[in-house]
Amino acid sequence: MKNRIESIDGLRGVAITLVILFHTFYHSISLTPWLGGLENVWVVKYGFLGVELFFLISGFLIYKSIETCKSLGEFLLKRWLRLFPAMLLATILIFSTSYLLSERPNGIPKLVDCLPGLLFIHPYFFEKFFTIKTVPIEWAYWSLFVEVIFYVIFGISYFTNKKNAPNALLILFLLSILYRLLEFLNLANILLIKKLVDGSFIYFGWFYVGCIQYRDQKENIEKINIKSLIILVLSSIATVGLNWKGIIFCLLIYLIFCNWTLNTKKNLLINNPVFVNLGVISYPMYLIHENAILALSIKTQYFFPDMWNYVNPIPGLITILLTAIVITRFCEPAIKKLIVRLLGFIKTDLAHEKHTS
């Protein structure tokens, strides 16, 4: 595909692999006990940290991308065009097939449950501001709510003060650490702030590190930034607690990321064709895999109970892979093209109306 950087897709491929391993063999193992036995393997147990690798990549790329934008509106529109088409397709697919996959851990979604994903708004805020009770059709969408708030905060910060734009992320992250400390000491208990902290700001350290890594690469600084490393350690503790294995895994992810940003030579891991191709389809895979992989595993176990346990998820995984390829190669570009054309018509009509009024 044009305009793609192979090594970035490789990093995404590593990230989505970690997330899928976690959701398949760890997260809901009580529903699929035949997949048990891998719970203590690091890449499975800490596979959820693939999301944090996505955050590092996002911080790096968003800083790079925003420099090509002339305004906050242009930046946010580009981000929306990047996220919405695949989300729309994934939502339609998940909702329309949920009755066929009744084994979904999240159950069969209601129509209103499509709103958080389509609007990229956390369910808590629907209930608080619109008195609409809803849950996302995939719990994995929590990270998209974090991403979108990051876009808004970083966008405002950048177009207010370009030089110090990442500092807004750092301040909000450190304030989140402070709030958690006050909460631990029973000195703070404000639900709205808690939701903003736990559901967004506490992850801003990861985005900040990604941003700083981009700035250092741009300035040809070929060494690990000590300040970034300190924030990375704090972010790791905020994510996994005082779990030394989890913290080490976070540092390993950071080193993989740093090796890519500091080393221009091809990396045998992230430039591996398997990871590169997985990275290309990683976004739609992330959107559709969480409940589907488990529901399809349960169905496979029902029809083929004698199948070797660790082969059991393969039919479901192949189904998800093929679906993600179709979305990426054919459906998503078509939807994006249609939206851009529609926006062009609206812009033309507004310009014509302004001209004639």
Side-chain angles (χ1 to χ4, degrees):
M1 297 179 71
K2 295 181 179 179
N3 300 323
R4 298 195 73 99
I5 302 174
E6 185 179 86
S7 56
I8 292 178
D9 282 327
L11 276 175
R12 291 191 180 112
V14 172
I16 193 63
T17 299
L18 289 171
V19 172
I20 289 177
L21 285 172
F22 174 76
H23 283 143
T24 304
F25 296 107
Y26 188 92
H27 186 244
S28 297
I29 203 65
S30 60
L31 300 176
T32 54
W34 54 88
L35 298 181
L38 300 178
E39 295 92 333
N40 292 319
V41 177
W42 279 30
V43 292
V44 173
K45 185 174 183 178
Y46 298 110
F48 66 92
L49 292 169
V51 174
E52 276 63 32
L53 178 54
F54 275 125
F55 289 163
L56 287 171
I57 298 168
S58 187
F60 184 97
L61 291 179
I62 293 306
Y63 204 165
K64 182 177 181 179
S65 172
I66 201 170
E67 292 183 334
T68 66
C69 298
K70 297 179 181 179
S71 67
L72 176 62
E74 179 188 348
F75 167 69
L76 293 178
L77 178 60
K78 284 183 176 180
R79 290 293 88 208
W80 181 78
L81 282 172
R82 169 71 180 93
L83 296 181
F84 181 74
M87 175 61 83
L88 175 63
L89 292 163
T91 300
I92 294 171
L93 177 67
I94 292 167
F95 187 79
S96 61
T97 61
S98 60
Y99 288 92
L100 299 175
L101 299 178
S102 56
E103 300 88 350
R104 288 165 40 91
N106 279 21
I108 298 174
K110 301 175 183 176
L111 188 59
V112 71
D113 294 333
C114 297
L115 290 177
L118 289 173
L119 298 178
F120 302 103
I121 297 175
H122 193 283
Y124 167 76
F125 298 106
F126 274 103
E127 184 172 355
K128 180 170 181 62
F129 298 111
F130 306 107
T131 64
I132 299 175
K133 290 187 177 182
T134 179
V135 294
I137 56 176
E138 300 283 336
W139 280 112
Y141 291 0
W142 71 267
S143 65
L144 297 176
F145 307 141
V146 177
E147 283 267 352
V148 169
I149 295 176
F150 158 61
Y151 296 158
V152 174
I153 298 294
F154 186 67
I156 292 172
S157 177
Y158 180 84
F159 287 104
T160 301
N161 186 338
K162 294 182 180 181
K163 184 179 179 180
N164 297 312
N167 289 345
L169 306 176
L170 179 60
I171 290 169
L172 286 171
F173 170 66
L174 293 177
L175 286 174
S176 297
I177 295 289
L178 176 61
Y179 181 82
R180 278 198 172 177
L181 178 60
L182 293 173
E183 193 176 40
F184 177 76
L185 297 172
N186 294 319
L187 297 176
N189 186 23
I190 303 173
L191 186 58
L192 177 59
I193 295 178
K194 178 178 173 59
K195 290 292 183 180
L196 286 170
V197 167
D198 293 345
S200 183
F201 298 155
I202 200 68
Y203 299 99
F204 276 20
W206 297 95
F207 294 113
Y208 173 80
V209 171
C211 288
I212 297 305
Q213 209 67 32
Y214 168 70
R215 192 169 68 187
D216 286 352
Q217 187 195 67
K218 187 179 178 182
E219 296 174 0
N220 296 315
I221 299 175
E222 297 182 355
K223 60 181 180 180
I224 292 178
N225 188 303
I226 299 301
K227 183 179 178 181
S228 290
L229 184 58
I230 293 171
I231 299 303
L232 188 283
V233 172
L234 286 175
S235 296
S236 301
I237 294 172
T239 302
V240 301
L242 296 175
N243 178 335
W244 68 268
K245 291 182 179 179
I247 294 170
I248 290 174
F249 200 86
C250 289
L251 292 174
L252 289 174
I253 285 175
Y254 175 61
L255 289 175
I256 292 172
F257 177 71
C258 283
N259 183 60
W260 165 66
T261 60
L262 299 176
N263 190 351
T264 56
K265 297 179 181 179
K266 283 200 171 186
N267 184 291
L268 292 176
L269 175 66
I270 63 176
N271 288 97
N272 183 294
V274 174
F275 287 129
V276 171
N277 285 297
L278 281 175
V280 173
I281 61 172
S282 60
Y283 179 46
M285 274 195 76
Y286 186 83
L287 294 179
I288 66 176
H289 84 277
E290 182 186 11
N291 280 269
I293 190 67
L294 294 173
L296 290 169
S297 179
I298 293 170
K299 283 190 181 297
T300 302
Q301 178 69 9
Y302 177 79
F303 288 108
F304 305 100
D306 296 326
M307 180 180 287
W308 186 47
N309 291 353
Y310 298 134
V311 174
N312 169 277
I314 291 178
L317 183 59
I318 291 173
T319 301
I320 292 167
L321 276 169
L322 293 175
T323 303
I325 290 170
V326 171
I327 290 174
T328 302
R329 289 182 61 86
F330 304 107
C331 304
E332 187 179 9
I335 295 294
K336 189 176 293 185
K337 190 174 182 179
L338 179 63
I339 292 173
V340 170
R341 185 175 295 178
L342 179 61
L343 290 174
F345 283 144
I346 293 172
K347 187 176 180 180
T348 301
D349 289 344
L350 288 173
H352 178 72
E353 182 180 337
K354 182 178 180 180
H355 180 72
T356 56
S357 61

